[in-house]
Amino acid sequence: GDSVTQMEGPVTLSEEAFLTINCTYTATGYPSLFWYVQYPGEGLQLLLKATKADDKGSNKGFEATYRKETTSFHLEKGSVQVSDSAVYFCALSERSKLTFGKGITLSVRP
Amino acid sequence: NAGVMQNPRHLVRRRGQEARLRCSPMKGHSHVYWYRQLPEEGLKFMVYLQKENIIDESGMPKERFSAEFPKEGPSILRIQQVVRGDSAAYFCASSPSGAGSNQPQHFGDGTRLSIL
């Protein structure tokens, strides 16, 4: 079945550091890929998405490129802020339902 | 422009009681999804519904759990005879009618269920 694997966390960075969060997936077809972010006590918010190979999703300085050859969708940001501290989930969608990775907690120090 | 509304935000039940979780989708959305988040885990799909129809319930436990999305009113996730292992955050999401796999789902803030 479909699955999403995220790198182990948590991750702690200093403000303005470069961020990479790895995500790889397994799917039988051609899924859409998403990154969601969850702030404490809240639901998930869509951060960015890509619907086909080589698409790049971007939002709020975050980027991720749909790499079919490596089945990856790594999240990057050039300069993180304290306000980026949250839990980040990689997900794929086939036949409407979402399959999530376990999530990774990012903490950004001032 | 209200988002997905879930209530209650927190629900405490004793073992053996029933829990009812409600979800009102975003305006204009007729597809509803329920997910469960256990501590330190990602979200797991439970069920996908359209108005008056269950489309996919492959993630629902076979016993004690049921879901509905009536023609009028919110979607309800019902857990009968709750046990400690049901303690989790339950999230509802919705998407527009005619959603395909590339339509993003919009999430509510969740209901945190605690079983004493």
Side-chain angles (χ1 to χ4, degrees), chain B residues 11-51:
Chain B
L11 181 61
V12 179
R13 286 287 178 266
R14 295 188 182 280
R15 281 179 295 172
Q17 291 184 319
E18 178 180 288
R20 282 186 177 235
L21 289 61
R22 295 175 183 77
C23 170
S24 296
M26 284 182 70
K27 188 176 180 180
H29 288 193
S30 59
H31 297 227
V32 165
Y33 314 79
W34 285 94
Y35 295 85
R36 177 166 62 176
Q37 184 179 32
L38 294 170
E40 308 299 323
E41 294 284 331
L43 280 71
K44 302 292 186 188
F45 169 79
M46 298 182 75
V47 62
Y48 163 34
L49 311 103
Q50 294 180 29
K51 285 285 187 181

Side-chain angles (χ1 to χ4, degrees), chain A residues 6 21 35-37 47 62 75 84 86-89 103-104 106:
Chain A
Q6 291 185 234
I21 301 177
W35 277 99
Y36 280 86
V37 58
L47 181 59
F62 291 90
L75 183 68
D84 294 327
V87 182
Y88 291 81
F89 293 94
I104 185 169
L106 170 66

